[in-house]
Amino acid sequence: MPEISFEVHHTLQPIKAQWLELERQARQRISSGQMSYMLFSFYQSCGWAEFIEHSYRRRHYLFKSGKRLDYILVREDGSPVAILPLIASLRIKRIDIIHAKIAGLLNVVSPRHSETDLYIYQALTAYLSQRYHGWRMTFHDIPQQSPFAAALRDIVGAQCRERASYCIDLTRFRSFDEYFASLSKNLYKNTRKAYNHIKSDGHTFTLRWFNNSEMPRGKALWRLWNIYFTRKLAWKSRSANPFAKAVCAVRAALETHHGMKSESMRALPNSRLAVFEIDGNTAAFMLLYIDGQHILMPKLAIDTKYSRYSPGILLVLESLKEFFSEGIMDFDMCRGNERYKRDVGGEYRPLSYVTVNSL
């Protein structure tokens, strides 16, 4: 049996070379079809980890909140095989995978995700139970098909909840028209009706794209986040009363000026913003990360004033036209069970939300 050993680092720099090598191997396996992109997405990249750490340290977030970064490097017979990036909450004794509250696909950084690699993750979970004995563990959004998820489920006292995730595999279709023809007749009819409503009501629509250097700022960005937080009230079945709307406005202001989602939009060359406008006004928008031929979409929201025109669906469809022309392989809509994800042909890919009250 190979010897599994562990090192813990509190900054990325000492293990950056190992991280980049594991990333190279993982991407090679993905491109050759040996591994699903879901098991190693943009959220496991070294670039994403560097952004998170830099942002935390620049804000003095770790010091203020009593947290610490724990990067666990796993070696097999001396060779690096995996890295688990954790944030440890020292005051309340809890560990999480670093995610910065931006929905995505979280997992161990590794090219080794086959069933025969389960022993690596069993050794890792045993190490977690030893190192963080008595701590609470909360791990979000781990692909259910991964051996890490399987090992986590075997921890004594582990509570596992399935969470929905949807992705459109664009390689199944030769063109946007072929993809669109594969959708349900109801969606086709409703989409045509939405386009006709825009035209018959005397409106025009535009899909606008922004990269990281062109992102809206100030009041323009605040309007987007205000739409997002207001829409979130409906997702949580809460009333949009004046007080709730005022809270949304404040949250939008905080996100605009201090939020990590906004910071990632400006700082990362991978970030894109797609805005669907009706008569020059934002009807829907989505935040995207472009990772080669893969796209992840962690945030989408609509302004309910334009619900008659199904702006969220039209935003996705108009964007997909461009994705096909650019040779994008898949469009991952990340965590969430929203109906539109199924309507536009998203394939269900379950995630695991694993908690342990005391390791």
Side-chain angles (χ1 to χ4, degrees), residues 135-148:
W135 287 45
R136 177 179 172 82
M137 183 187 77
T138 306
F139 285 176
H140 302 72
D141 304 337
I142 300 168
Q144 205 172 80
Q145 69 192 82
S146 69
F148 185 44

Side-chain angles (χ1 to χ4, degrees), residues 19-20 22-31 35-50 52 83 85 97-99 102-113 140-143 145-146 165-167 268 270 288-298 330-335 349 351:
W19 193 309
L20 289 171
L22 293 173
E23 182 172 343
R24 185 195 66 78
Q25 293 176 26
R27 292 189 184 280
Q28 188 175 54
R29 290 179 64 83
I30 291 167
S31 64
M35 192 169 90
S36 164
Y37 179 75
M38 188 178 188
L39 296 171
F40 192 104
S41 76
F42 175 63
Y43 291 104
Q44 284 76 59
S45 70
C46 190
W48 176 255
E50 283 187 303
I52 295 293
I83 297 171
I97 298 180
I98 299 170
H99 55 85
I102 301 177
L105 304 172
L106 305 181
N107 203 0
V108 173
V109 176
S110 177
R112 304 274 296 273
H113 290 292
H140 302 72
D141 304 337
I142 300 168
Q145 69 192 82
S146 69
S165 172
Y166 290 88
C167 181
L268 295 171
N270 307 72
L288 307 165
Y289 298 119
I290 314 293
D291 188 23
Q293 293 177 294
H294 308 272
I295 293 183
L296 297 104
M297 186 273 289
D330 53 60
F331 176 46
D332 198 314
M333 295 175 281
C334 297
R335 168 172 45 88
R349 297 183 179 181
L351 304 173

Side-chain angles (χ1 to χ4, degrees), residues 18 35 48 50 59 113 177 190 198 204 207 268 281 299 328 338 350 353:
Q18 292 95 326
M35 192 169 90
W48 176 255
E50 283 187 303
R59 299 154 177 261
H113 290 292
D177 290 338
N190 291 337
I198 292 175
T204 58
L207 177 61
L268 295 171
N281 299 311
K299 301 295 177 190
I328 299 299
E338 296 88 347
Y353 177 25

